[in-house]
Amino acid sequence: MDYLKETPSQTAGPYVHIGLAPAAAGFDIYEHELGFDPVSEDVPGERITVTGRVIDGMGAPVKDVLIEVWQADASGRYADGAEGFRGWFRVVPDFETGVFTLNTIRPGANGRQAPHLSLWLVARGINVGLQTRMYFPDADNSADPVLNLIEQPHRRATLIATGGKGSYDFDIHLQGEKETVFLDV
Amino acid sequence: MTLYQRDRTWHPPALAPDYKTSVARSPRQAMLSLEATASELSGPRFGHSDIAPGDNDLITNYAKGGDPVGERIIVHGRVLDENRRPVPHTLVEIWQANAGGRYRHKKDQYLAAIDPNFGGCGRTLTDADGRYAFRTIKPGAYPWRNWVNNWRPAHIHVSVFGHSFAQRLITQMYFEGDPLIAHCPIVKSIPDPRAIEALIAPLDLNEAKPLDCLAYRFDIVLRGRRSTFFENRPEGN
Ligand SMILES: [Fe+3]
């Protein structure tokens, strides 16, 4: 068959911010840095804040991680390239504490899929970007086809944030007892 | 429409012990495999209003009254999918060290000098045929803490989107003929030598500009899309 092979992945390394978030790397180069626009006021939907950390197998926060977030709008639709809410963010934690903060809107359900954020993580030591999801503790997740593929309740719980009322906590564990479920999509 | 399964044996495994940082940062449980849903088949789109025309010229995009030091090069190629179809209008971002192997990053402490005229990042959109091009300086090799005496081969970090969030890819481009490639634990995290070969950009003298700039060619392949001749049964029915 005349197919090509996908280009193999390589780690984003410790300096991923130079390319994808230069202000975080400590310099000012682009007029418009992508992925850091606040949600504008005319976008409908409930404003939410998500904070968390990515934790390695030693229990230490991964301070050099870069996370991309992809989500539906408040009505459950993914952006079609039109004006308005793009639904895509870049998140860089504080380099001292490893704590990240995302300010966005709460996504709507998409078909049978419960509201969720899709997350993609890259960092030094991560050879292929890791895909996972964050679901909401105060939503009806019972019919979600992805959560329902996970048999063990404690594994399923790794994809559900804590908190509520617009303010959520979501830690991602790369290893160990609380290892987050990562997706091979 | 859905995506071809990613061939995980072609990519580096999460745990590659000779690349020490991967030891504590590699998941140990099996990943959850699923067919892409609307969440992964869609993805962010970018247009010319997102970037500026000079963003793909690293020789000038951070210059402060002079030229950066080093070998002037053009890096160009196409973004295709596994079906050999071009991926048009997709965002390609790169970052790299300067000619001395030093990154402009507050965490890089390597003793090689920072170049006042070199930022080290660029971005562009592919054209209708999936083509992209950057002008830059050939990056230098640099040492890194892994074994006592590890050196990264000269490389450019490359980030590509495609049209689906599940096509998202970050990789590194190496340069033909670099003797450090064979010694690098990050390169060797990739098990198949043919896959490593796909990351080594050949010299492209045809595209070199006489008396000005050498050129290297780097084609990037993203996951292909499967046609849905017959709809799948919905999960669980
Ligand atoms: Fe590097």
Side-chain angles (χ1 to χ4, degrees):
Chain A
M1 297 300 260
D2 198 26
Y3 294 118
L4 298 171
K5 294 290 283 183
E6 188 186 12
T7 298
S9 174
Q10 290 269 264
T11 179
Y15 305 128
V16 57
H17 321 95
I18 293 175
L20 308 189
F27 69 115
D28 175 26
I29 182 163
Y30 298 136
E31 234 168 78
H32 179 208
E33 203 163 299
L34 298 172
F36 295 94
D37 290 328
V39 178
S40 71
E41 277 177 18
D42 51 353
V43 172
E46 180 195 343
R47 268 52 186 170
I48 62 167
T49 300
V50 178
T51 57
R53 292 178 307 164
V54 178
I55 315 241
D56 72 12
M58 313 288 282
V62 177
K63 298 171 183 172
D64 52 17
V65 72
L66 182 136
I67 304 172
E68 287 187 4
V69 180
W70 174 238
Q71 66 166 100
D73 66 14
S75 70
R77 267 200 316 263
Y78 286 95
D80 53 9
E83 297 291 297
F85 183 64
R86 180 175 262 158
W88 172 80
F89 302 94
R90 282 179 166 156
V91 180
V92 175
D94 181 281
F95 287 163
E96 301 307 317
T97 63
V99 176
F100 64 80
T101 304
L102 168 69
N103 292 302
T104 181
I105 56 165
R106 186 184 176 97
N110 179 288
R112 287 158 65 220
Q113 297 200 87
H116 64 276
L117 308 176
S118 293
L119 308 174
W120 184 72
L121 284 64
V122 293
R124 178 171 70 106
I126 296 177
N127 288 325
V128 184
L130 296 169
Q131 288 260 10
T132 188
R133 288 183 176 195
M134 189 202 98
Y135 287 86
F136 293 84
D138 45 6
D140 178 6
N141 294 319
S142 59
D144 184 82
V146 174
L147 286 176
N148 287 340
L149 284 174
I150 307 170
E151 285 167 31
Q152 306 90 334
H154 76 281
R155 295 281 288 148
R156 182 184 153 114
T158 67
L159 298 189
I160 303 174
T162 57
K165 296 195 177 116
S167 178
Y168 302 95
D169 287 303
F170 188 63
D171 284 347
I172 297 164
H173 294 265
L174 298 179
Q175 272 178 26
E177 266 171 44
K178 297 192 233 167
E179 184 177 312
T180 299
V181 172
F182 294 102
L183 308 177
D184 183 20
V185 192
Chain B
M1 192 271 285
T2 187
L3 291 166
Y4 296 156
Q5 175 176 290
R6 180 167 261 168
D7 180 356
R8 296 273 169 185
T9 67
W10 183 252
H11 291 279
L15 173 61
D18 287 339
Y19 175 23
K20 291 183 182 181
T21 317
S22 76
V23 174
R25 292 183 171 192
S26 44
R28 298 299 159 84
Q29 302 296 322
M31 284 192 285
L32 179 69
S33 292
L34 60 131
E35 280 233 305
T37 71
S39 311
E40 295 83 21
L41 291 172
S42 56
R45 303 212 169 212
F46 301 93
H48 287 283
S49 58
D50 287 312
I51 62 175
D55 286 353
N56 67 338
D57 188 349
L58 285 74
I59 290 183
T60 56
N61 72 6
Y62 197 75
K64 307 278 185 247
D67 281 341
V69 173
E71 274 180 62
R72 300 157 61 83
I73 60 170
I74 289 167
V75 173
H76 74 105
R78 291 179 82 194
V79 181
L80 304 166
D81 71 12
E82 290 171 293
N83 296 311
R84 299 175 185 270
R85 285 189 286 240
V87 182
H89 316 304
T90 196
L91 183 66
V92 182
E93 295 161 293
I94 65 169
W95 68 99
Q96 60 165 94
N98 69 22
R102 175 78 181 262
Y103 280 102
R104 184 176 286 279
H105 191 292
K106 50 187 171 194
K107 297 274 178 192
D108 188 2
Q109 303 297 325
Y110 179 38
L111 53 82
I114 286 181
D115 185 330
N117 292 306
F118 192 70
C121 65
R123 57 189 186 179
T124 192
L125 292 167
T126 58
D127 70 10
D129 297 319
R131 277 176 225 286
Y132 75 90
F134 291 96
R135 190 168 74 151
T136 186
I137 293 294
K138 191 174 179 191
Y142 60 83
W144 60 298
R145 287 186 191 280
N146 188 58
W147 304 335
V148 275
N149 195 19
N150 273 140
W151 293 76
R152 294 302 325 281
H155 62 278
I156 297 177
H157 296 267
V158 182
S159 161
V160 197
F161 278 79
H163 298 316
S164 300
F165 199 52
Q167 286 178 305
R168 196 76 182 82
L169 180 75
I170 282 183
T171 190
Q172 300 183 29
M173 180 204 113
Y174 303 98
F175 292 84
E176 177 184 3
D178 187 338
L180 288 170
I181 294 170
H183 299 279
C184 178
I186 290 178
V187 174
K188 289 197 288 188
S189 68
I190 298 171
D192 190 324
R194 292 170 305 165
I196 293 175
E197 201 57 42
L199 297 184
I200 303 175
L203 179 70
D204 182 3
L205 269 181
N206 286 339
E207 285 298 328
K209 286 206 184 326
L211 307 178
D212 183 343
C213 235
L214 275 175
Y216 288 85
R217 164 114 193 188
F218 186 57
D219 289 336
I220 298 160
V221 181
L222 302 179
R223 297 170 67 185
R225 283 172 292 174
R226 190 172 82 217
S227 5
T228 43
F229 296 120
F230 300 95
E231 286 295 316
N232 262 20
R233 290 192 307 185
E235 191 94 48
N237 290 333

